[in-house]
Amino acid sequence: MSIVVNGVTKLYGLQKALDNVSFRINTGEIVAFLGPNGAGKSTMMKIITGYIPASSGSVLVNDIKTSSDNTEIRKKIGYLPENNPLYPEMYIREYLGFVASLYKMRSSVKKRINDIIEITGLSIEQNKKIGSLSKGYRQRVGLAQALIHDPDVLILDEATTGLDPNQVVEIRNLIREAGKEKTVMLSTHIMQEAEAICDRIIIIDKGIIIADDEKKKIYSRQFSHKQIIRVEFDRETITGDLLKIPAVTEARMVKDNIWLIEAEGEEDIRPAIFNYAVKNNLTVLSLLKEEKTLEEVFRHLTKG
Ligand code: ADP
Ligand code: MG
C-alpha cells in the first residue's frame, strides 16, 4: 500500500500549516516524518487519514483518493493520533471491541482481540481499565487500536513522546515488528527516533518539505562524508603542507597551533595526520574527530 501526497496545502484561517506538500511512501517502507513542533506533521497525518480535508491538493492511498467519507480507505489505515486519546473508563477488551465495531469487523473479533493483546504486550494488564494503566501501557493500547483491523498502512503521530526510556525502546520494537509487513509513516520531532526506526526520512519545517531521502543520503548530502579533525601540534606548521596530506581539502588554524582539518572520504584521516606530524618532527598534543550527527543535519536544515 503506497501513500502519494500531491501538492497538499492546508490553511487554518489565514495560517498556512502545509504549503504545497508532495511526497510518496512506497509499500513496505517505514518512513519518519521529522520536524519541529508546529511544522505541520499532525495536520498532514489527519489529512492522509481523512480526518480533515486539505485546502487543495490530494492524497492517494493505494491509488484511491482519501476523503473524510471514504470508509473503505479508513479500513486500510491504522492511525495512532497525537496524545493518543482513549476512554479511561473503558476496559481494554471493551475498548478494543468498540474499535473493532467501528471498523465493522464481524468475524472472529474475539480471537483478533486476544491476538492483538498478545502482540502489543498487553497480556498482564488485559483486565484493567485504561485509566489505571501507565503511560507506556496506554500507548500499547493506542497501538492495539491502530492494529486491530490489520491495516496495510500505519500512521503513527508521535508514538513515543512522553514515554520513559524503557517504554520508548519497547514501543519502538513493536513499531519495527509491525512495520515488517506494513507501510509505516511515523511522525516525530526527535532525531534519534527517526534514526532508530526508519530508513527514509522526510523533514518538514513550517509546512514545507525540506528533505526527503534515505537516512544515510540525508547525512551525506549535508556533509558529503566530510571529516573534521581538530589537532594540536607542539609547534608551528603551514597550511600548504597540511593540504598535501591525501584527501585533505581544508586546513585552518583556529588558535595557537590548533588546526581544524577537513577531509573528504570514508577513510579515517587521523593516521595520515599522525604520520605527517612524525615526518615533520611535530608532536601531536591532541587529535579529535568532530562528529556530525543527524541532529546537526536537522538543525542545519531547519535553522532560520
Ligand atoms: P506539528 O504536528 O508538526 O507540531 P501541527 O500540524 O499540529 O504541527 O500544526 C501546524 C500549524 O498549524 C501550527 O502552527 C499550529 O498552530 C496550526 N494548527 C494546527 N491545528 C490547528 C487548528 N485546528 N486550528 C488552527 N491552527 C492549527
Ligand atoms: Mg503534532
Side-chain angles (χ1 to χ4, degrees):
M1 281 245 155
S2 57
I3 301 170
V4 179
V5 174
N6 277 324
V8 166
T9 293
K10 177 69 185 181
L11 294 161
Y12 291 115
L14 288 176
Q15 198 201 347
K16 222 179 230 183
L18 295 173
D19 188 356
N20 194 22
V21 168
S22 298
F23 58 84
R24 186 190 168 94
I25 298 178
N26 298 313
T27 306
E29 278 191 305
I30 303 189
V31 173
F33 198 42
L34 176 65
N37 288 326
K41 303 182 295 296
S42 297
T43 299
M44 188 70 249
M45 292 182 143
K46 286 178 203 163
I47 292 171
I48 293 173
T49 50
Y51 280 84
I52 59 170
S55 304
S56 60
S58 65
V59 175
L60 302 174
V61 175
N62 226 25
D63 301 327
I64 301 167
K65 204 168 165 181
T66 61
S67 64
S68 45
D69 56 4
N70 192 334
T71 44
E72 279 315 299
I73 285 287
R74 283 209 195 178
K75 282 186 187 171
K76 308 270 188 223
I77 300 179
Y79 175 39
L80 176 61
E82 190 169 23
N83 304 320
N84 186 13
L86 295 168
Y87 297 94
E89 284 305 316
M90 275 187 160
Y91 289 92
I92 295 176
R93 283 175 180 283
E94 188 187 4
Y95 174 64
L96 293 176
F98 166 67
V99 176
S101 71
L102 293 182
Y103 287 115
K104 302 193 170 55
M105 290 169 64
R106 284 191 195 94
S107 56
S108 50
V109 172
K110 229 176 175 168
K111 178 173 185 323
R112 181 61 187 158
I113 291 175
N114 283 334
D115 290 349
I116 212 71
I117 281 176
E118 173 86 40
I119 291 168
T120 54
L122 279 166
S123 300
I124 53 168
E125 303 284 53
Q126 60 182 300
N127 295 316
K128 288 196 178 168
K129 266 188 185 173
I130 290 169
S132 69
L133 298 174
S134 70
K135 199 148 196 268
Y137 275 96
R138 267 184 236 182
Q139 210 61 354
R140 287 171 195 264
V141 176
L143 278 173
Q145 67 76 26
L147 289 165
I148 187 94
H149 54 308
D150 197 21
D152 295 318
V153 175
L154 261 187
I155 306 279
L156 308 173
D157 197 355
E158 307 263 359
T160 66
T161 298
L163 300 182
D164 73 36
N166 288 332
Q167 295 167 339
V168 167
V169 171
E170 288 160 11
I171 296 296
R172 281 183 188 165
N173 286 340
L174 279 177
I175 295 170
R176 262 191 228 104
E177 201 53 41
K180 282 182 184 162
E181 45 190 53
K182 300 189 190 300
T183 305
V184 181
M185 178 181 188
L186 161 147
S187 81
T188 177
H189 63 281
I190 302 159
M191 284 70 54
Q192 291 84 340
E193 177 100 340
E195 212 163 6
I197 308 181
C198 305
D199 302 321
R200 216 177 104 214
I201 298 179
I202 298 173
I203 304 181
I204 184 168
D205 188 32
K206 301 189 183 77
I208 296 169
I209 303 293
I210 53 174
D212 175 357
D213 217 330
E214 284 167 41
K215 181 167 61 186
K216 53 179 191 289
K217 284 197 188 148
I218 288 184
Y219 278 118
S220 60
R221 174 129 352 104
Q222 288 307 309
F223 297 106
S224 59
H225 298 293
K226 208 180 275 174
Q227 305 174 44
I228 301 174
I229 306 293
R230 193 184 173 88
V231 56
E232 182 175 6
F233 299 118
D234 63 330
R235 52 192 184 77
E236 277 171 38
T237 187
I238 57 170
T239 311
D241 285 352
L242 285 166
L243 287 174
K244 286 180 195 152
I245 301 171
V248 169
T249 53
E250 210 184 313
R252 186 159 48 89
M253 192 165 82
V254 287
K255 223 178 140 193
D256 306 335
N257 303 323
I258 298 177
W259 293 78
L260 280 184
I261 299 177
E262 275 188 35
E264 296 284 349
E266 298 278 307
E267 201 179 327
D268 192 347
I269 190 76
R270 286 174 295 181
I273 294 174
F274 194 80
N275 288 337
Y276 167 87
V278 172
K279 257 191 221 154
N280 292 277
N281 285 322
L282 296 162
T283 303
V284 172
L285 299 177
S286 70
L287 188 63
L288 270 180
K289 194 169 184 173
E290 313 237 306
E291 298 286 351
K292 293 286 173 201
T293 61
L294 189 57
E295 186 155 348
E296 287 170 275
V297 175
F298 178 73
R299 263 200 245 115
H300 181 77
L301 283 166
T302 57
K303 74 174 173 230

